[in-house]
Amino acid sequence: MKKAFTMMELIFVIVVIGILAAIVIPRTGSNKLQEAATQVISHIRYTQHLAMVEDKFDVNDPDWWQERWQIRFPHTTINGLDTYYYEIFSDKNHQGNSDASEEAKDPLTGNNIGNGNSLVTVIPDDALTNLAKKYNITSVTGTCQLGGAYRTVAFDFIGRPYLDVYTKAYDNPVPSPNGCTIILNSSEGNATIKIHPESGYACVLDKTNTNCL
């Protein structure tokens, strides 16, 4: 003979489901800082991939290294507020900034990974790389920097990270053994992304900034 659930059993199941939902939903609903770090890491790795499949060495161009693929984190001021974003590009014209033809394309959407022009002071709210609007990032700091105001990492044809692409070809690799960091800051706290020397491997560090998560 089949047994049916009693009213009390149904109520108990509903209460348990409600408790589990209350516990799980806040953890899976939205962690914008973690989402931002995940996206940035994926694009750091994509930058490295582009550099490894496209060797920029050109015997006829003494400044060939300036065209290495790089990911850069500029910021602009919109309505008095700092807006942080990033762009992936190869500076083909050696002018120190990106334009639409130099920026990488997102393999999923086909959109530029950037704002189309480093010199433009407005970046769309819905831009893929608008860290401020999309993820509430208030600043980008860290040690992946060599001169200038921007955090920048470039890669060579074997994936080694460089801090800058506007000096000499081989004199500015990411320092060993500590690597360098990109730190995303927001009201939720901060997420530290470490880029390891030599390998260029990128990961989010734990709260002690010691180990990769």
Side-chain angles (χ1 to χ4, degrees), residues 78-100:
I78 300 176
N79 297 326
L81 299 175
D82 281 336
T83 297
Y84 285 83
Y85 63 102
Y86 62 91
E87 54 194 359
I88 298 173
F89 68 100
S90 168
D91 189 11
K92 298 176 183 177
N93 58 19
H94 302 183
Q95 292 184 354
N97 60 276
S98 71
D99 58 44

Side-chain angles (χ1 to χ4, degrees), residues 139-150:
S139 66
V140 178
T141 56
T143 60
C144 292
Q145 180 180 6
L146 180 64
Y150 304 142

Side-chain angles (χ1 to χ4, degrees), residues 4-22:
F5 287 108
T6 66
M7 183 60 70
M8 286 299 295
E9 289 173 329
L10 289 174
I11 293 174
F12 178 76
V13 170
I14 292 172
V15 169
V16 170
I17 292 174
I19 293 173
L20 291 174

Side-chain angles (χ1 to χ4, degrees), residues 39-40 43-44 46-47 50 68-75 84-91 96-100 102-105 112-120 122-123 128-131 150-154 166:
Q39 177 176 301
V40 169
H43 279 144
I44 289 173
Y46 185 48
T47 307
L50 291 173
R68 284 181 176 142
W69 282 100
Q70 61 181 291
I71 181 168
R72 185 165 68 176
F73 295 79
H75 74 276
Y84 285 83
Y85 63 102
Y86 62 91
E87 54 194 359
I88 298 173
F89 68 100
S90 168
D91 189 11
N97 60 276
S98 71
D99 58 44
E102 295 174 331
E103 288 179 349
K105 299 290 185 181
N112 280 24
I113 304 179
N115 71 334
N117 191 328
S118 293
L119 302 180
V120 175
V122 176
I123 181 168
L128 174 70
T129 64
N130 190 336
L131 296 173
Y150 304 142
R151 269 67 193 176
T152 303
V153 180
Y166 299 108

Side-chain angles (χ1 to χ4, degrees), residues 84-200:
Y84 285 83
Y85 63 102
Y86 62 91
E87 54 194 359
I88 298 173
F89 68 100
S90 168
D91 189 11
K92 298 176 183 177
N93 58 19
H94 302 183
Q95 292 184 354
N97 60 276
S98 71
D99 58 44
S101 66
E102 295 174 331
E103 288 179 349
K105 299 290 185 181
D106 182 79
L108 296 178
T109 66
N111 296 329
N112 280 24
I113 304 179
N115 71 334
N117 191 328
S118 293
L119 302 180
V120 175
T121 57
V122 176
I123 181 168
D125 286 349
D126 61 351
L128 174 70
T129 64
N130 190 336
L131 296 173
K133 186 68 175 181
K134 191 174 182 182
Y135 297 116
N136 300 326
I137 299 301
T138 55
S139 66
V140 178
T141 56
T143 60
C144 292
Q145 180 180 6
L146 180 64
Y150 304 142
R151 269 67 193 176
T152 303
V153 180
F155 296 92
D156 66 12
F157 72 103
I158 59 173
R160 292 177 299 192
Y162 286 72
L163 294 183
D164 184 53
V165 292
Y166 299 108
T167 55
K168 295 181 179 180
Y170 298 112
D171 70 346
N172 61 347
V174 167
S176 178
N178 296 322
C180 71
T181 58
I182 297 291
I183 304 174
L184 307 180
N185 304 289
S186 77
S187 59
E188 297 179 22
N190 60 70
T192 299
I193 298 170
K194 179 176 180 179
I195 300 176
H196 291 72
E198 294 300 325
S199 69

